[in-house]
Amino acid sequence: MIKALSLAATLALLPLSTALAQEATSPSEAAIEQAAAALEARMENFGERAAALSLDQTLADAERETRMAALWAEYQPDLSAFAATAAMHATALAAEALADIDLESLAGEALAGVDMQGALAMAGGVARNGAWTSNDPEQMVTYGLMADYVLGQAIDAVDEMEVDIDTMDAADDADATPAAPAD
């Protein structure tokens, strides 16, 4: 089963590597093109031989399976060589592909569609329905401390705003007081 999946995965890569080969401009693409061409030729032969074995009614099922396993063993090194070549050059191909992508604009477009209010509402729902509903005394103490901290921060912020407002009011009063006439 694993061998069949490996073969399927490699055959799935063939169109990609063939498409890359048509535009081969880098050494990595050329290497994959060459490996793909070699594998494609070998796999065509494998397909013909496997089909012939499958259609051979003179063979018992056990004999057919044995011959298929032997056939697979014959072609498996070619498949492994192609997979190794593709893996070896994948990093270079990915770097070349990513070089043309504007990640900032891509991230900007993705974030433009984010509903912040919906996300915050969902986060609030998760908080209400998650750990806050736990009856664990240690969690309750921890959450109580967190709530005290947040309330303390809010009170400090309000106090700072009051001081700023008082300072602004005093400055406004000073500006509004008429200056004494000069003698």
Side-chain angles (χ1 to χ4, degrees):
M1 181 67 168
I2 292 173
K3 290 178 183 177
L5 291 175
S6 297
L7 177 61
T10 302
L11 291 175
L13 286 175
L14 278 176
L16 172 65
S17 62
T18 304
L20 288 173
Q22 292 171 357
E23 304 171 4
T25 57
S26 73
S28 294
E29 289 172 337
I32 290 178
E33 173 188 355
Q34 185 178 7
L39 180 65
E40 186 175 13
R42 289 287 288 161
M43 288 296 109
E44 284 178 15
N45 188 294
F46 172 83
E48 292 168 3
R49 292 176 62 190
L53 274 175
S54 295
L55 297 174
D56 190 353
Q57 297 297 324
T58 62
L59 297 174
D61 287 342
E63 179 66 23
R64 185 176 298 117
E65 287 180 22
T66 302
R67 288 188 182 184
M68 259 318 175
L71 181 63
W72 172 251
E74 182 181 333
Y75 286 89
Q76 196 274 333
D78 298 314
L79 184 61
S80 295
F82 174 75
T85 300
M88 184 172 65
H89 295 285
T91 304
L93 289 174
E96 291 169 14
L98 288 175
D100 296 333
I101 296 174
D102 182 9
L103 294 178
E104 279 188 33
S105 83
L106 186 64
E109 288 175 20
L111 289 175
V114 174
D115 176 20
M116 288 304 290
Q117 292 297 333
L120 291 174
M122 184 172 59
V126 169
R128 280 189 301 280
N129 296 322
W132 286 99
T133 60
S134 172
N135 289 330
D136 182 14
E138 290 178 7
Q139 276 187 335
M140 296 309 288
V141 169
T142 301
Y143 293 134
L145 291 171
M146 289 170 50
D148 286 343
Y149 176 77
V150 170
L151 286 174
Q153 293 292 318
I155 290 169
D156 290 346
V158 168
D159 288 343
E160 286 179 26
M161 285 176 34
E162 286 175 357
V163 169
D164 289 343
I165 290 172
D166 290 341
T167 304
M168 287 175 21
D169 287 342
D172 288 343
D173 289 343
D175 290 341
T177 305
D183 287 319

